[in-house]
Every structure is written in structure tokens, then in C-alpha cells.
Amino acid sequence: MTNSSGFRLVGKITTLLGLMIIAPSAFADMVLNLRRGVTDISQTVYELHMLILWVCVVIAIVVFGVMIVSIVLHRRSRGAEAASFSHSTKAELIWTIIPVIILVWMAVPAAKTLVVMEDLRDSEMTIKITGYQWRWHYSYLGTEVDFFSTLARSSNIARQLRSGVDPFSVENYLLDVDKPLVVPVDTKIRLLITSSDVIHSWWMPSFAVKKDAIPGFINEVWFKANETGTFRGQCAELCGRGHGFMPIVVDVLSQQDYAAWIDAKDRGETVAMVDSTADTTAEAPAAARELSGEELYNISCGACHQANGQGLPPAFPGLVDSAVVDGPVAEHIDIVMNGRVGTAMVGFSTQLSDAELAAIISYERNAWGLNSGDTVQASDIAAAR
Amino acid sequence: MGPEYEATADQYQADDHDHHGAPSGIKRWLFSTNHKDIGTMYLVFSLLMFFVGGTMIMIVRAELFQPGLQFVDPAFFNQMTTMHGLVMVFGAIMPAFVGLANWMIPMMVGAPDMALPRMNNWSFWLLPVGFTFLVATLFMPGGAPAAGWTMYPPLVLQTGDAFPFLVFAVHILGASSIMGAINIIVTIMNMRAPKMTLLKMPLFVWTWFITAFLLLAAMPVFAGAVTMLLFDQYFGTHFFNAAGGGDPVMFQHIFWFFGHPEVYIMILPAFGIVSEIIPTFARKPLFGYNSMVYATASIAVLSFIVWAHHMFTVGMPLAAELFFMFSTMLIAVPTGVKVFNWIATMWRGSMTFETPMLFSLAFVFLFTIGGFSGLMLAITPVDFQYHDTYFVVAHFHYVLVPGSLFGIMAGVYYWLPKWTGHVVDEKLAKTHFWLSAIFVNITFFPQHFLGLAGMPRRIPDYSTQFADFNMMSSLGAFGFGLSQLLFVYIVYRTVKGGEKASSEVWDNPKGLEWTVPSPAPHHTFETAPELR
């Protein structure tokens, strides 16, 4: 921990303790409530949330009010004499029927909203979303565009155990990705959500969309964003060690910007995001900086196989004592590129470039005392494709 | 209406040499068939597990104290949250209620012991076996289970060597619970004192009677679910594997068909406890005894048709989402009836605020807050925003900690003088109450805000905007954890000595347990008490 973060910690605890005692209103700048979001549905959901919240508050005031009055007045220390009544059919009927009426009154708008949410007709485009341990894959159906979306490098470095990087110094810590999902504004977009390994859940609070990604099944959901901008969410279903580290970022572009973006992507060009965040622009040249095999390994492989190559057996085997890493190069390349069926090991051929794959495999074959001396070239990878 | 009874304490004032005392040494506990000794063992075991599960969550809250990973690897973090859930549900809350049932049900219905004393011994001693299996997984290759206490496949199938131990631990604990439930049902059905009709039973007996049926119906389903996991993992079946024609979501349906009744298994006995305590300290009979019984029964029935509200985001058909939304909202009605009845019991009473009453009042307040967030969660379209966030964590901890746990503590403070023969030090006990009540709110109330602001549950690290409330919640959790050491000290002190308790202990409490001396003799009601 750096010195400044240490000071901040002490300061924060003091402030928190102080605030808890004297001024709860000083929390005003904190996010306390659900966000309204930028779709019609998310705004309806927000209003439903506020409605049920206020219903609960009113009931609480009445119920707790009666209870507090009773506690204050009907206590022996005030000389209260106990009455002896033990039932009243009238009272019991009243407090059975009134809640039923409130519930029915609540259920009607809730059911209506649900019906709209489940109406997928007339969607204008479809994106297939696949959850992986621990990244998202987006595929724009009807185009050639598909890509993985992974935790931004700055967050990924800072989130390592005792990384020494202060999370407060990282912009959008844990809520930023290398390549956001890009969609047009004012368009009804259908999402097909599935998974390649375990259950994940794609959650975008600003759209009030949360749907589980289930291996072998395809869930449908839709949204129509009313505003452009960048919106952030996270995986919501426990999916293993990296569950907290697979954020979701959606860039909503104007329809013209989106059309330009998807055209360029479809022609296979690398597009600087029209609406990119500072972090993603920093990301682009970083790729040209030629990360070492070790850095690439730690980002792409380290979550499961661990920085020390010991893995987390038996789900994630160690590489140090692996027959693959110690064996023929061709088999090693094959498994890294194409994955291993029936295990959590996915293929990385679409996620990484030839040079990156070569660097990682070379690193693995020579790290942790293996020293095989093998060097895999980008051309070897290209040959295996 | 509760039983009317003749005072029977006199019969115990006579020489005690007709009654053999407790055998001494380790055999007293190992071979015990005595409901009081077995009840004590259950309670001590659950207290131990409470601290084991509590230590685990202290590690979690320490890691969540500030953003960034300071102490543990995310994989270990997941093991801690998973084990915390399993240990608290199956090791702390459930055995504590069974312990209270063992101690109190025979005394409350005027029976000499549980109906099946040897099975009673067995059902207790299975618990340490099951938990040895479960806790041992922490030291196995691959670590302890880390897929959450809900054990969803396919993730749970990535568990290491711990996996079969997890499954067998569940089997053993399930067998223990089922035997306990059978024992309680048989005792209540067959061993009530003459003239104690069903609708004269104390409410704690009633709620446990209904809970026992829930256990009987739910635990085998859970055992079946984990057995299917075991077969998928080792014997080539594909119950939950889509590639083999199975369905991972089916596990969730089966799990929550068990899991939702399980929720009520952990709260109904607490309803019973506060329904005993509030009338005593309000000096007024329980309001609406019959409607309390019917409300409990209808909650139990409804608990079997609401399970899918735990899984609204899995992608169910609209009709199913509507059905589970309506059925879930319906549960608010009988639950409301209970809260209103407790308050009507206090109304125009003559209340005093000894520790058991303080815990019961906090129970009514804070359980109701958990009920409100439950109602919010029932609204399916809004649940899509709440689901799997800290809002849910706040909700179920409000019903489980100031709900179930405060219910247990209220019961312990209420009956401890009866068990030990010593009055509890009120000053210390009240200190324990206020510390617990304040810290529980500092811990869990901010979690509502975290969830609404968008923090998912079960994450080891979080975005910086969630930092302040997490720090507050962690401070509350440390305070709450430390406060419970005071509880251990109070219990220890009361067992060891203190002012002698009378047989009534409190001011004219109702119920057969108060007609026997304090401490309750090793054997009570060898001849059935006379009820008027």
C-alpha cells in the first residue's frame, strides 16, 4: 500500500465514523438508489421500484408507529395495566384484506411491465453474447464482426493480489474493457445470450437488462437505448475465480457513427473507437508495444494457470508439470489455439494474434525452470491456423 | 389459547433418589439419550459452528474493507463465501433450532423425553461427522467448494477433490435433519400430556411441528439434487449437462424446491420463540393464537410454490414469471398477519424490557425490514435489477441475522435460567443486545445501497464507487463478530454460577416448562402433568 492510500484510509475511517454519527445527509453524493437508466423499460422499472419502496415506507411508518406507541405507552414502568383481549375477528379480517388489496394494486403494473419486457417482436438487429471464464464474446449476427471483450489492462494489473497499484488511481477500476460492445441509439436490439462453460449473467443496469448466460441454452432479451454514451455493468452470476473481473461496457453511438463503425469493422479494419474512453485509446498503442510473453501469459492465462504455473488443480491443471508443455510443440500449439473439449480450457486462436500466441507459448515452454529452449514463431502459429 | 395447567413443581421438591441422575464423564454425552443433554450438545455445537462460519466471513469482510486485493486470492475468497453459507445454514442456525426443540418441546408438551431417544443421539452425532467432512475440504487439493452454497452446476463441477466430500456432507447432514424432524413429529403427535389438544400447544411447538414437515419434504429433494451432481461428475450421467441432453437450470429448480422451504425452516421456529416471549413480557395472552397457527401453516404450504423467484433471470416463460411473482407476493399476507398479531399482543400490555424481550422486539422490527425488501424482490421486473446484487445479500441477512439468529438468542436468554438454574446478568446481556442490534444494522443496511448502486454479490473486489459503504459494512461486521464473544462469556458465566433462578424465572410466564424447578431436573414429567 502506498503512503497516500494509507493516509486516505485513516481519513476515510474517521470521516465515515463521524458521518455515521452526525450527518447522514453528507452521504448525498453517494449513489444510494437504483439508476433511472436510458431505456423506456429501465425507467418504468425505476418507477416501479420507487412505487414499491414508498408503499413499504408507508406500511413501515404505520406498523412501526403503532409498535413504538405501544412500547412507549404500554409499559409497566408507566404503570400500564395489561388488558386481557386475545383476538378480534374484525381486526384480523382488516389486516388480511388490506394487504391483499395493496398487493393486487402492485401486481398490475408489475405484470404489464413484464409483458413488455418479454415482447421481442420487431427487433432491428441481433447480437449474440457468449460468456467465457472470464470474458465476454460479442458477435454481430449478419456481419463478419465478432470480438472478445476483456477486463482493461490497467484494471487487470491493479487487481492482482497485493499489486501495489492503488485502485483509486485507475479510471473506471474493474468497470472497463479493452473492446466495448458498440450499438446504435434508438434501435431495438435483440440479444441472444449463452455461455461456453459455466453460467454467467449479462447485466447492464442502465438498460435494466440482466439475463443468465447458460451453456447449451440461448436466452433472449432486448433493449432500446434512448441516449448515446458509455454504460457499464458486470457479470452477475458467480462463475468462478474471475467472476469479479469480467465487466461489461456498452458504447451507444448515434446511428451514423454506428453505421460507419460496423462498416469498417466488417471490412476487417481496426477501428479506433469513435466514442472510446481514455483507457481504450491507451490500449491501442499498447498492443504495438510488444508485451512480453510473460505479460501476455499473466493477462490471458494467469487467472487459471497462475503466474507461477502451478494452476489450481484439478479444475485448472498446473503447467509446470504438464506433459503438454513439456511435450511436442505441435500439441501445445493445438491446445492453446483450439482449447480442450470438456474442460474450462477455451481456444485462444480468435482472441490473440499469431505473434501473441507465439510469445505466450514460448514463455510457457521456458518459464518456471522448464528451459526447453524451444522458440515458437508467429509463422508456426500461422501455419497451424 | 395455550394450556391451562396445575402447578406441578411440588413433585420435584420431594427426594430425588427415584430419578437416576446423569451418567458422568464422556459417556454421558457420547451415549446420551436424554433430550436435555442432546439439546445442550446441539446448542454448543451450533455455537462452535457460528464462530467457524463467522471467522470465514471476517476474512471476506477484511478483503472487502477496501478496493483492491489485499489479503486473499479470489479463489480462496469464493471458498470462504461458500463455506460461510453452508456452515451458517447447516451448522449454526438449523442445529441451534433443533437444540432448542430438544430442550423445550418435551417440557412444553409435558413429555418425559423425545419419542425416539436413541435416534435422537444418532441424529446429533451425525452432525460432527458431516462437518468434519465439510471443513476438511479446506485442506484438500483444489481447496474447499467455491461455487456458492447454492452449488450451481456446471461451476460446482470444477470443484477439486472436495467435491465428493461436499456431496456426502450434505447427505449426512440431511439424514441428521430428517431423523430430527421425524423425532419431533412423533413426539408431538404421541407424547403430549392428556388434554393438551393440538390447538392448546404452545406456539413454539406448533411452529416446530410445521417446520419438521418442511424438513421431511425438502431435505430428500436436496439430497437427490446433490446425488445427481455426483453422478454427473463421476458416473457419466448428463442430468445438468446440455451437451448430453441435460439442463443446468433443472438443478436450480430442484435446488430451490428444497431451498425455499429451507428458508422457512430457518425462520418458523424463530416465529415460535418470539410468540412465546412477547406475551410473557407484555403480560397479555398472545393475540390471535389460532390465526398464528393458520398463518404458519399457510406460509409452509406457499413455500413450496414460490421457488423460482430465486431464479427470475434464468429465462423462464412469461407465464412462469407471472405465476412465481404472484405466489411470492401472496406470502406477504400470512407473514403480515403474524407481525400484526405480535404488535396487537403488545398493544395495551404492561411491558417490561428484559433481554429476551429486547431481542424479540428487534426481531419484529428488523425481520419486518427484511420482509419489505423481500416484497420488493418479488416484483419480477424490478428483481431483474436487484437479482444477484448486494440488495439480495442485505435482504436475506436481515431475515437470517436479526431474524433467525436474534430469535435463537432471545430463546437462549429466555430459557437459559431454566436450563442452568441461574439468572442471567441483565446488565451484560443488555450490553450484548445493544451491541448486536447496532452493529447488525451498520453491517447490513448499507448493503441495500450497494446493491441498488450496482454492486454484484460474491465478488472479491469492487469498483471504487462502492468503497465507502463496503468499509462501513466491514466495520459493522467486525463489531458484530467481536460482540458475540460477550455472548459466549455471558452463557459461560450463567452456567458456572449466579443468582439462583426460581422455577418461574420471569413474571408469571405461561407454559409447562415453568412448572418444573430451575435448573430443570435431568428427567421431567415422568408422570404426565395435569391440565385443566
Side-chain angles (χ1 to χ4, degrees):
Chain A
M1 189 191 297
T2 61
N3 232 353
S4 68
S5 73
F7 280 125
R8 185 169 47 232
L9 181 59
V10 176
K12 258 187 188 278
I13 295 176
T14 326
T15 326
L16 264 177
L17 289 175
L19 286 176
M20 275 152 56
I21 297 159
I22 51 165
S25 61
F27 284 111
D29 57 333
M30 289 182 183
V31 187
L32 290 172
N33 202 355
L34 212 57
R35 67 198 82 184
R36 277 181 180 277
V38 293
T39 65
D40 292 348
I41 293 272
S42 72
Q43 281 167 26
T44 315
V45 164
Y46 174 83
E47 274 150 26
L48 267 177
H49 158 76
M50 289 314 288
L51 175 65
I52 183 79
L53 181 63
W54 283 115
V55 167
C56 288
V57 168
V58 170
I59 299 174
I61 289 171
V62 173
V63 172
F64 294 155
V66 173
M67 193 170 153
I68 289 166
V69 166
S70 181
I71 288 172
V72 171
L73 295 181
H74 308 144
R75 53 166 67 211
R76 194 169 63 176
S77 57
R78 286 177 60 112
E81 294 276 333
S84 61
F85 64 87
S86 67
H87 61 98
S88 153
T89 312
K90 201 160 100 188
E92 289 172 69
L93 273 178
I94 289 172
W95 65 51
T96 308
I97 290 168
I98 290 180
V100 171
I101 294 169
I102 295 174
L103 289 174
V104 171
W105 177 66
M106 276 305 308
V108 172
K112 277 185 183 158
T113 311
L114 204 53
V115 170
V116 178
M117 280 177 152
E118 295 290 337
D119 182 0
L120 283 129
R121 287 171 299 178
D122 305 323
S123 50
E124 295 158 82
M125 61 180 274
T126 303
I127 297 170
K128 181 170 154 241
I129 300 176
T130 311
Y132 287 78
Q133 284 177 314
W134 292 278
R135 53 181 71 75
W136 294 98
H137 181 260
Y138 298 115
S139 174
Y140 292 69
L141 298 193
T143 75
E144 295 294 308
V145 178
D146 73 294
F147 55 87
F148 279 91
S149 178
T150 311
L151 180 66
R153 193 164 290 146
S154 52
S155 289
N156 203 6
I157 291 165
R159 66 105 175 172
Q160 303 299 325
L161 184 57
R162 291 183 280 269
S163 66
V165 182
D166 182 1
F168 288 93
S169 70
V170 179
E171 203 180 352
N172 295 312
Y173 178 60
L174 296 185
L175 290 180
D176 207 0
V177 294
D178 54 354
K179 294 175 197 148
L181 177 66
V182 178
V183 296
V185 75
D186 295 328
T187 309
K188 184 167 182 176
I189 299 165
R190 184 171 70 135
L191 303 175
L192 300 179
I193 300 177
T194 186
S195 166
S196 82
D197 37 50
V198 301
I199 300 175
H200 304 269
S201 192
W202 197 87
W203 179 29
M204 183 46 63
S206 297
F207 303 163
V209 167
K210 185 185 285 146
K211 208 63 148 179
D212 290 359
I214 299 164
F217 290 81
I218 296 174
N219 268 328
E220 285 183 308
V221 70
W222 69 273
F223 70 91
K224 185 175 181 180
N226 297 333
E227 290 172 27
T228 58
T230 302
F231 304 99
R232 298 171 197 282
Q234 283 177 272
C235 176
E237 178 66 46
L238 177 63
C239 55
R241 185 171 179 272
H243 167 52
F245 311 107
M246 48 185 293
I248 297 157
V249 180
V250 179
D251 270 353
V252 179
L253 302 187
S254 71
Q255 297 193 342
Q256 297 90 315
D257 288 347
Y258 173 78
W261 179 86
I262 193 79
D263 270 356
K265 283 294 268 189
D266 212 9
R267 289 195 302 273
E269 292 169 22
T270 318
V271 192
M273 293 298 163
V274 187
D275 194 18
S276 63
T277 58
D279 201 75
T280 42
T281 30
E283 210 74 32
R289 212 169 52 216
E290 285 194 21
L291 288 168
S292 70
E294 182 176 3
E295 286 174 290
L296 288 163
Y297 170 87
N298 285 336
I299 290 165
S300 294
C301 321
C304 301
H305 295 296
Q306 304 290 292
N308 59 11
Q310 300 286 345
L312 292 165
F316 308 118
L319 300 182
V320 177
D321 46 5
S322 155
V324 174
V325 176
D326 212 17
V329 177
E331 193 193 343
H332 192 172
I333 292 174
D334 177 52
I335 286 176
V336 174
M337 288 180 67
N338 303 316
R340 186 169 251 180
V341 178
T343 70
M345 178 70 193
V346 295
F348 285 83
S349 60
T350 52
Q351 302 187 40
L352 297 169
S353 71
D354 292 354
E356 287 171 327
L357 287 164
I360 287 172
I361 295 168
S362 300
Y363 170 72
E364 286 175 349
R365 297 184 76 83
N366 292 287
W368 317 304
L370 288 171
N371 303 325
S372 68
D374 298 335
T375 311
V376 179
Q377 301 294 339
S379 55
D380 299 333
I381 306 291
R385 280 193 193 268
Chain B
M1 301 274 25
E4 298 285 319
Y5 53 85
E6 299 278 2
T8 49
D10 291 351
Q11 74 179 80
Y12 296 97
Q13 318 261 308
D15 291 352
D16 209 30
H17 53 242
D18 284 348
H19 308 269
H20 65 86
S24 55
I26 184 76
K27 284 185 178 174
R28 166 172 178 184
W29 304 104
L30 218 48
F31 302 135
S32 179
T33 54
N34 179 287
H35 74 101
K36 298 185 182 78
D37 282 353
I38 293 175
T40 302
M41 288 195 289
Y42 265 110
L43 288 167
V44 170
F45 180 81
S46 66
L47 188 60
L48 179 70
M49 286 295 127
F50 177 53
F51 279 92
V52 171
T55 308
M56 290 168 173
I57 211 63
M58 290 301 121
I59 295 171
V60 167
R61 281 314 326 172
E63 184 54 69
L64 292 173
F65 187 66
Q66 31 170 359
L69 289 176
Q70 290 82 23
F71 303 110
V72 295
D73 184 88
F76 187 71
F77 180 94
N78 290 345
Q79 294 173 27
M80 287 294 104
T81 52
T82 303
M83 292 289 280
H84 164 74
L86 290 167
V87 167
M88 286 303 198
V89 168
F90 298 104
I93 299 292
M94 287 171 70
F97 280 132
V98 181
L100 291 170
N102 253 295
W103 251 106
M104 302 318 299
I105 287 177
M107 288 211 286
M108 287 176 140
V109 300
D113 205 307
M114 296 293 278
L116 308 162
R118 291 201 174 89
M119 193 165 87
N120 204 11
N121 173 293
W122 197 27
S123 60
F124 170 75
W125 281 108
L126 282 179
L127 277 184
V129 177
F131 275 93
T132 306
F133 275 31
L134 194 62
V135 174
T137 60
L138 281 165
F139 307 101
M140 291 177 184
W149 83 282
T150 49
M151 304 178 203
Y152 284 3
L155 183 62
V156 74
L157 301 176
Q158 291 179 358
T159 308
D161 292 1
F163 184 73
F165 289 87
L166 169 67
V167 172
F168 293 141
V170 167
H171 284 157
I172 290 167
L173 301 178
S176 161
S177 292
I178 290 167
M179 284 192 281
I182 291 173
N183 216 341
I184 285 166
I185 292 171
V186 177
T187 305
I188 294 172
M189 295 285 251
N190 295 306
M191 299 187 60
R192 298 192 310 277
K195 295 187 195 165
M196 183 177 278
T197 57
L198 284 177
L199 282 174
K200 279 186 179 170
M201 295 195 307
L203 220 75
F204 178 68
V205 178
W206 252 117
T207 53
W208 240 118
F209 189 50
I210 292 167
T211 303
F213 281 103
L214 289 182
L215 276 168
L216 271 191
M219 293 312 291
V221 178
F222 189 29
V226 295
T227 309
M228 289 157 95
L229 285 177
L230 189 78
F231 273 62
D232 269 13
Q233 182 80 319
Y234 296 115
F235 305 119
T237 56
H238 299 286
F239 291 114
F240 309 126
N241 176 8
D247 180 354
V249 178
M250 187 171 71
F251 176 86
Q252 299 184 23
H253 282 292
I254 301 171
F255 179 88
W256 286 114
F257 186 80
F258 142 80
H260 200 80
E262 170 69 21
V263 170
Y264 290 99
I265 288 165
M266 291 191 285
I267 198 66
L268 293 186
F271 287 173
I273 292 168
V274 299
S275 302
E276 299 295 327
I277 291 173
I278 291 175
T280 297
F281 296 97
R283 291 168 183 77
K284 212 168 135 266
L286 182 69
F287 186 91
Y289 172 93
N290 288 349
S291 68
M292 282 300 219
V293 173
Y294 300 141
T296 311
S298 42
I299 290 173
V301 171
L302 285 173
S303 77
F304 283 102
I305 58 162
V306 297
W307 75 88
H309 69 217
H310 296 270
M311 35 190 288
F312 276 141
T313 61
V314 298
M316 282 182 290
L318 177 63
E321 287 177 339
L322 288 172
F323 171 80
F324 285 108
M325 173 167 75
F326 296 147
S327 62
T328 304
M329 292 171 84
L330 205 53
I331 286 201
V333 177
T335 314
V337 165
K338 300 199 79 102
V339 173
F340 300 140
N341 281 355
W342 289 321
I343 294 174
T345 307
M346 296 174 215
W347 190 254
R348 291 181 54 210
S350 174
M351 274 192 274
T352 52
F353 302 93
E354 289 84 346
T355 313
M357 183 63 160
L358 288 177
F359 272 103
S360 300
L361 293 177
F363 173 96
V364 177
F365 266 113
L366 301 176
F367 172 80
T368 305
I369 290 178
F372 286 137
S373 55
L375 187 57
M376 296 171 77
L377 284 157
I379 311 292
T380 312
V382 198
D383 176 80
F384 293 147
Q385 291 283 48
Y386 306 145
H387 179 85
D388 261 334
T389 68
Y390 259 82
F391 191 80
V392 177
V393 176
H395 159 71
F396 69 73
H397 280 96
Y398 259 87
V399 292
L400 279 172
V401 182
S404 308
L405 183 66
F406 276 23
I408 291 164
M409 289 188 162
V412 168
Y413 281 119
Y414 188 50
W415 287 309
L416 196 59
K418 176 56 61 189
W419 304 336
T420 61
H422 302 129
V423 174
V424 180
D425 183 331
E426 270 293 308
K427 206 172 159 191
L428 275 181
K430 280 183 175 157
T431 310
H432 172 233
F433 165 77
W434 284 110
L435 287 173
S436 300
I438 291 166
F439 280 125
V440 87
N441 285 294
I442 296 177
T443 308
F444 297 117
F445 209 80
Q447 296 184 356
H448 291 113
F449 303 132
L450 285 173
L452 294 177
M455 179 167 162
R457 61 189 285 214
R458 293 166 162 175
I459 55 174
D461 193 7
Y462 47 82
S463 182
T464 48
Q465 80 223 46
F466 306 128
D468 294 334
F469 282 128
N470 267 297
M471 186 177 285
M472 195 195 282
S473 184
S474 287
L475 289 172
F478 301 147
F480 186 82
L482 287 174
S483 308
Q484 303 321 310
L485 296 173
L486 183 58
F487 177 66
V488 178
Y489 173 69
I490 293 168
V491 172
Y492 175 80
R493 234 174 82 131
T494 313
V495 171
K496 282 289 158 196
E499 195 190 324
K500 291 268 171 264
S502 67
S503 45
E504 289 207 320
V505 182
W506 312 105
D507 183 14
N508 194 24
K510 301 284 182 282
L512 283 170
E513 75 265 36
W514 308 110
T515 66
V516 302
S518 304
H522 200 55
H523 295 280
T524 38
F525 298 122
E526 286 175 344
T527 44
E530 286 284 318
L531 267 71
R532 262 186 271 130

